[in-house]
Amino acid sequence: MKAIFTHELKSYFHSMTAYVFAAFLLCFVGLGAMIYNLEAAVSNFEYVLSFGCLVFVVIVPVLTMRVLAEEKRQRTDQLLYSLPVSTTEVILGKYAALIVLYLIPLAVISIYPLIFAQFGEVYLPTSYGSIFAFFLLGAALLAVGMFISSLTENQGLAAGIGIAVILFNYYSVSLSEYVSSPALGSLIALLVLICAVALIIKVLTGSGSLAYWVGMGLAAALLVVYLVTGESFEGLLPDIMSALSLFERFYVFVNGIFDLKAVVFYLSVIVFFLFLSVQSLEKRRYN
């Protein structure tokens, strides 16, 4: 794992990836600091991070698109399989390199509240609580992007899907206000979600029959619940869209509340998508 981590981290700094990523993140946060803290004379640095989180829509897919997709395209993933390391160690090594790369500009950003505190009243607990949540948000999105990269060998496709997924998650709460909330609409949406889960199972395992029976089992269970307690499906889809929003949970920290449930949610997302990435790589390894 250490060798994978070292190799990945060096590759980022031997190319322009690390420098472009850091420059883009710092420029975007710097722009927010200029708009809010300097021109508007607002002392709340957390508002800058709230503005800056939009940058993840671009930098995360661009950063993660090559992590596994490039390995597949160049067939260098075959070398990974020959190393005396497990697939889990490969994924963790690559992910750790991404986290270190992300922490470098974040360490610079962490100095901003201290600088602004010299010229006005800055509530540091809220500022650094928001920075911590900003880190967790980015770490969760990096795990999602890594999984998307594991599904294809086309970097452009991985980046495109990543941008679409993160952008949808960013606006999911706003979109939920326009989503129909009848029970039947929620049922249809959940059935579509089950189809997506079955498709992921097929991609990860290569077993069409397993995906079919899992999908049919979940769909049958959902229909039974709908027939028994149909009224519970009223307004369910907008609630699900809001609950799955990574960005909405970040805004809780911006409002000065340290939400332990949000921390657990972010960590769960990280573990879940890293697990899916391991399974995706394992499937290719056995094929």
Side-chain angles (χ1 to χ4, degrees), residues 29 56 66 111 144 159 164 203 216 236 282:
V29 174
F56 288 127
R66 61 164 293 275
I111 303 174
V144 174
V203 171
M216 290 298 293
L236 183 60
E282 279 287 337

Short mmCIF file of all heavy atoms in Angstrom, two decimals, residues 29 56 66 111 144 159 164 203 216 236 282:
data_model
loop_
_atom_site.label_atom_id
_atom_site.label_comp_id
_atom_site.label_asym_id
_atom_site.label_seq_id
_atom_site.Cartn_x
_atom_site.Cartn_y
_atom_site.Cartn_z
N VAL A 29 -11.45 29.78 -3.74
CA VAL A 29 -11.67 30.20 -2.34
C VAL A 29 -11.19 31.63 -2.15
O VAL A 29 -11.82 32.42 -1.42
CB VAL A 29 -10.96 29.23 -1.38
CG1 VAL A 29 -11.05 29.74 0.06
CG2 VAL A 29 -11.56 27.84 -1.46
N PHE A 56 -16.06 21.90 -6.41
CA PHE A 56 -15.94 20.44 -6.44
C PHE A 56 -16.58 19.84 -7.69
O PHE A 56 -16.20 18.75 -8.11
CB PHE A 56 -16.59 19.83 -5.19
CG PHE A 56 -15.81 20.04 -3.93
CD1 PHE A 56 -16.41 20.59 -2.81
CD2 PHE A 56 -14.47 19.68 -3.86
CE1 PHE A 56 -15.69 20.78 -1.65
CE2 PHE A 56 -13.74 19.87 -2.70
CZ PHE A 56 -14.35 20.43 -1.59
N ARG A 66 -8.70 9.88 -14.01
CA ARG A 66 -7.62 9.04 -14.48
C ARG A 66 -7.16 8.01 -13.45
O ARG A 66 -6.35 7.14 -13.78
CB ARG A 66 -6.41 9.90 -14.86
CG ARG A 66 -5.84 10.72 -13.71
CD ARG A 66 -4.45 11.24 -14.03
NE ARG A 66 -3.50 10.17 -14.11
CZ ARG A 66 -2.88 9.65 -13.05
NH1 ARG A 66 -3.15 10.09 -11.83
NH2 ARG A 66 -2.01 8.68 -13.20
N ILE A 111 -5.34 28.86 7.06
CA ILE A 111 -4.68 30.03 7.62
C ILE A 111 -5.55 31.28 7.48
O ILE A 111 -5.42 32.24 8.24
CB ILE A 111 -3.30 30.25 6.94
CG1 ILE A 111 -2.44 28.99 7.09
CG2 ILE A 111 -2.56 31.44 7.53
CD1 ILE A 111 -1.13 29.06 6.32
N VAL A 144 -16.52 9.04 -4.40
CA VAL A 144 -17.52 8.84 -5.45
C VAL A 144 -16.85 8.90 -6.83
O VAL A 144 -17.11 8.06 -7.70
CB VAL A 144 -18.62 9.92 -5.35
CG1 VAL A 144 -19.58 9.81 -6.54
CG2 VAL A 144 -19.40 9.77 -4.05
N ALA A 159 -15.08 11.60 -16.40
CA ALA A 159 -15.20 13.00 -15.98
C ALA A 159 -16.61 13.51 -16.22
O ALA A 159 -17.19 14.21 -15.37
CB ALA A 159 -14.18 13.86 -16.72
N ALA A 164 -21.79 15.25 -13.91
CA ALA A 164 -23.26 15.15 -13.87
C ALA A 164 -23.75 14.71 -12.50
O ALA A 164 -24.72 15.27 -11.96
CB ALA A 164 -23.73 14.18 -14.95
N VAL A 203 -22.52 -4.81 -13.27
CA VAL A 203 -21.21 -4.29 -13.67
C VAL A 203 -20.12 -4.80 -12.74
O VAL A 203 -19.02 -5.18 -13.18
CB VAL A 203 -21.22 -2.74 -13.68
CG1 VAL A 203 -19.81 -2.19 -13.86
CG2 VAL A 203 -22.13 -2.23 -14.79
N MET A 216 -35.37 -7.95 -8.88
CA MET A 216 -36.74 -8.42 -8.75
C MET A 216 -37.16 -8.55 -7.29
O MET A 216 -38.30 -8.23 -6.92
CB MET A 216 -36.89 -9.77 -9.45
CG MET A 216 -36.80 -9.70 -10.97
SD MET A 216 -38.12 -8.69 -11.68
CE MET A 216 -39.55 -9.69 -11.31
N LEU A 236 -42.17 11.18 -0.39
CA LEU A 236 -40.97 10.42 -0.06
C LEU A 236 -39.79 10.79 -0.97
O LEU A 236 -38.66 10.91 -0.51
CB LEU A 236 -41.25 8.92 -0.15
CG LEU A 236 -40.11 7.99 0.24
CD1 LEU A 236 -39.68 8.23 1.68
CD2 LEU A 236 -40.50 6.53 0.03
N GLU A 282 -11.82 -5.84 -8.37
CA GLU A 282 -11.75 -7.30 -8.19
C GLU A 282 -12.37 -8.02 -9.38
O GLU A 282 -11.85 -9.05 -9.84
CB GLU A 282 -12.48 -7.69 -6.90
CG GLU A 282 -11.67 -7.52 -5.65
CD GLU A 282 -10.59 -8.57 -5.50
OE1 GLU A 282 -10.73 -9.65 -6.11
OE2 GLU A 282 -9.59 -8.30 -4.81
#
